[in-house]
C-alpha cells in the first residue's frame, strides 16, 4: 500500500509541476510582444537518437522561407515569443525545446555538446525539406549548440543554413570570464586586483539546482546579474517566468555541462554569413566572448557584423525591437541572395 501511495503521489506531484511550468510559459502580459503567438502552429514530431521526444513547433505559412530558433540554458520555445510574433506572419518560424527544457524529454544519453548537436541535426532534418536551407538563430546555449553542430557536421552548414545569427553566446571558458559573481573576473577597487573566479566555485554555482521564487530579492538579483538594472515590469516578469519554467535539476545538469564546455574553434565551420549580437551589460557571456568568436569568423571570412546592444544576457527580449531589426536584416539578406541566385540560375 505504501508503495502504491508513493507511486500515486509521485505521479500527481509531477503532473502538478508540469502544469505549473506550462502555465509559466503561457502567461499573458500587457506587452503584446511577450504574449503567446496567435498565429497557428504545427507540431513537428521529432524523436532524438536516444529515443527522447523533442517538442518542435512551426509557426506561419508552410511554404514560406524558414527561420530556426534555438533557445539557451533554462529557457523554452516561448522565450522567442517576441521573434515569433514579429516574423511568423511572413516567414515559417521553427523553434524547439532543448532536451529536458519546456516539454522535451531529457532522454537517457550522457549530456554532451555533441548530443545537443545531434538534436539540432535531427530537428533540421525533420523540419526542413531535403534541400531546404534556413536562417539559424541561437541564443546562449543555443549559439553554443550551433557551434557544436558546425564542428560535428561541417558539411551540413552550407547545406542547411543560409546564414547564422549568434546572440549572447560563447565558445568556451565561461567560468574564467563571467562577471556574474561580484568582485571576480573584473577590475576590483576593493581588492585592488583582478581576481579570477575559482573553477570549482563557478562550477558549483552553475550546477546548483536553484529554485527561483518570484519574490523581491530574487527579482532584484535576476535583473542585475542576468539581465540589466533597466529590466522591470513585464520584461522582468516574462523573462523570470520563462527561466522558472525549467526544472531545477535540469538547470543544474546543464549548468555542469556549461562549466566544462569547450568548443574550441568550431565557429570556423560556420562558413555562411554570420552575424553576432552581444550585450554591453551581459555578465553571463561578456562581450569578450563575442569578440573571440568574431575574430574566428573574420579569419574564415564569414563575419557579417558584430553588434553590441545595451542589454544583459537576454538580449532578444531586453531589446526585442532592436534585436528584431538585426534579425530582419539577416533574413532579408539571406533570402535576397537566394532569389538572386534563382534568377541567375
Amino acid at each position: 500500500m505504501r508503495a502504491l501511495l508513493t507511486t500515486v503521489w509521485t505521479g500527481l506531484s509531477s503532473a502538478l509541476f508540469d502544469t505549473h511550468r506550462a502555465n509559466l510559459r503561457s502567461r499573458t502580459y500587457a506587452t503584446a510582444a511577450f504574449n503567446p503567438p496567435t498565429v497557428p502552429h504545427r507540431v513537428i514530431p521529432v524523436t532524438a537518437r536516444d529515443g527522447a521526444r523533442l517538442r518542435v513547433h512551426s509557426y506561419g505559412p508552410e511554404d514560406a522561407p524558414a527561420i530556426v530558433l534555438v533557445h539557451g540554458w533554462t529557457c523554452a520555445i516561448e522565450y522567442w515569443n517576441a521573434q515569433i510574433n514579429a516574423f511568423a506572419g511572413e516567414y515559417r518560424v521553427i523553434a524547439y525545446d532543448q532536451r529536458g527544457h519546456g516539454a522535451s524529454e531529457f532522454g537517457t544519453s550522457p549530456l554532451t555538446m555533441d548530443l545537443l548537436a545531434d538534436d539540432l541535426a535531427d530537428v533540421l532534418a525533420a523540419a526542413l525539406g531535403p534541400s531546404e536551407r534556413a536562417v539559424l538563430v541561437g541564443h546562449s546555449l543555443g549559439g553554443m549548440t550551433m557551434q557544436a553542430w558546425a564542428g560535428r557536421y561541417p558539411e551540413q552548414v552550407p547545406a542547411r543554413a543560409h546564414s547564422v545569427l549568434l546572440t549572447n553566446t560563447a565558445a568556451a571558458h565561461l567560468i574564467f570570464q563571467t562577471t556574474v559573481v561580484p568582485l571576480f573576473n573584473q577590475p576590483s577597487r576593493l581588492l585592488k586586483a583582478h581576481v579570477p573566479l575559482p573553477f570549482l566555485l563557478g562550477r558549483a554555482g552553475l550546477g546548483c539546482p536553484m529554485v527561483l521564487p518570484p519574490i523581491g530579492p530574487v527579482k532584484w538579483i535576476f535583473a542585475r546579474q542576468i539581465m540589466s538594472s533597466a529590466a522591470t515590469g513585464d520584461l522582468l516578469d516574462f523573462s523570470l517566468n520563462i527561466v522558472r519554467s525549467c526544472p531545477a535539476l535540469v538547470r543544474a545538469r546543464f549548468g555542469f555541462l556549461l562549466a566544462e564546455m569547450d568548443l574550441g574553434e568550431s565557429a570556423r565551420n560556420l562558413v555562411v554569413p554570420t552575424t553576432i549580437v552581444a550585450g554591453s551589460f551581459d555578465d553571463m557571456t561578456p562581450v569578450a566572448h563575442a569578440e573571440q568568436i568574431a575574430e574566428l569568423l573574420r579569419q574564415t571570412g564569414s563575419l557579417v557584423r558584430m553588434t553590441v546592444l545595451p542589454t544583459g544576457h537576454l538580449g532578444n527580449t531586453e531589446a526585442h525591437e532592436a534585436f528584431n531589426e538585426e534579425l530582419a536584416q539577416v533574413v532579408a539578406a539571406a533570402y535576397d541572395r537566394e532569389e538572386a541566385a534563382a534568377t541567375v540560375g
Side-chain angles (χ1 to χ4, degrees):
M1 176 62 70
R2 179 178 297 178
L4 176 61
L5 290 174
T6 300
T7 301
V8 171
W9 171 249
T10 300
L12 179 61
S13 60
S14 177
L16 290 173
F17 274 119
D18 287 345
T19 300
H20 173 62
R21 293 181 182 115
N23 288 338
L24 286 172
R25 298 193 302 268
S26 62
R27 293 185 180 182
T28 58
Y29 303 85
T31 304
F34 300 145
N35 289 336
T38 56
V39 63
H41 72 269
R42 179 171 66 93
V43 175
I44 301 174
V46 176
T47 301
R49 299 172 199 189
D50 65 345
R53 290 174 294 183
L54 305 181
R55 181 174 72 139
V56 185
H57 286 179
S58 174
Y59 301 84
E62 284 300 309
D63 58 349
I67 303 170
V68 176
L69 307 174
V70 188
H71 71 73
W73 180 40
T74 202
C75 292
I77 288 174
E78 289 80 7
Y79 173 72
W80 296 108
N81 280 354
Q83 284 67 56
I84 297 169
N85 285 323
F87 289 91
E90 184 177 358
Y91 298 96
R92 175 161 46 103
V93 182
I94 299 158
Y96 73 98
D97 288 335
Q98 297 257 30
R99 61 173 57 229
H101 294 69
S104 287
E105 297 175 345
F106 194 94
T108 58
S109 296
L111 185 59
T112 66
M113 291 307 303
D114 282 347
L115 181 65
L116 301 186
D118 291 345
D119 289 347
L120 175 55
D122 291 343
V123 168
L124 295 177
L128 302 179
S131 59
E132 185 180 8
R133 296 186 295 165
V135 171
L136 308 186
V137 185
H139 168 258
S140 189
L141 174 66
M144 299 166 198
T145 299
M146 285 186 185
Q147 293 174 72
W149 168 73
R152 188 164 172 81
Y153 301 104
E155 74 287 351
Q156 290 191 16
V157 176
R160 285 304 191 189
H162 278 299
S163 54
V164 170
L165 193 161
L166 302 175
T167 183
N168 302 95
T169 194
H173 309 309
L174 290 183
I175 289 173
F176 299 131
Q177 290 184 286
T178 180
T179 52
V180 166
V181 183
L183 303 179
F184 290 103
N185 292 345
Q186 54 192 310
S188 171
R189 293 181 180 179
L190 177 62
L191 300 178
K192 301 185 183 304
H194 179 95
V195 180
L197 178 63
F199 178 80
L200 292 179
L201 176 60
R203 185 177 185 275
L206 285 171
C208 176
M210 293 176 288
V211 178
L212 303 170
I215 58 177
V218 171
K219 287 186 174 183
W220 189 90
I221 293 171
F222 188 84
R224 281 152 183 79
Q225 300 306 115
I226 304 302
M227 302 178 75
S228 74
S229 58
T232 59
D234 278 354
L235 170 60
L236 178 56
D237 290 341
F238 167 77
S239 302
L240 183 57
N241 284 338
I242 293 296
V243 170
R244 289 175 59 219
S245 74
C246 181
L249 290 178
V250 170
R251 185 181 301 119
R253 293 180 70 174
F254 273 81
F256 286 131
L257 173 66
L258 290 172
E260 299 176 358
M261 183 268 305
D262 187 346
L263 299 171
E265 297 188 349
S266 293
R268 288 187 185 275
N269 290 327
L270 294 172
V271 293
V272 296
T274 301
T275 298
I276 298 177
V277 176
S280 57
F281 302 108
D282 187 347
D283 288 316
M284 287 288 293
T285 53
V287 175
H289 285 294
E291 292 172 339
Q292 290 157 11
I293 297 171
E295 180 55 31
L296 293 176
L297 296 173
R298 285 191 193 97
Q299 296 171 16
T300 301
S302 56
L303 179 68
V304 176
R305 65 184 171 275
M306 174 176 154
T307 300
V308 180
L309 298 177
T311 71
H313 186 60
L314 308 183
N316 59 294
T317 61
E318 295 177 63
H320 61 274
E321 292 177 340
F323 181 87
N324 286 352
E325 290 177 4
E326 287 286 334
L327 179 54
Q329 292 183 55
V330 171
V331 171
Y335 290 112
D336 284 349
R337 285 193 304 272
E338 181 181 50
E339 184 176 341
T343 301
V344 172

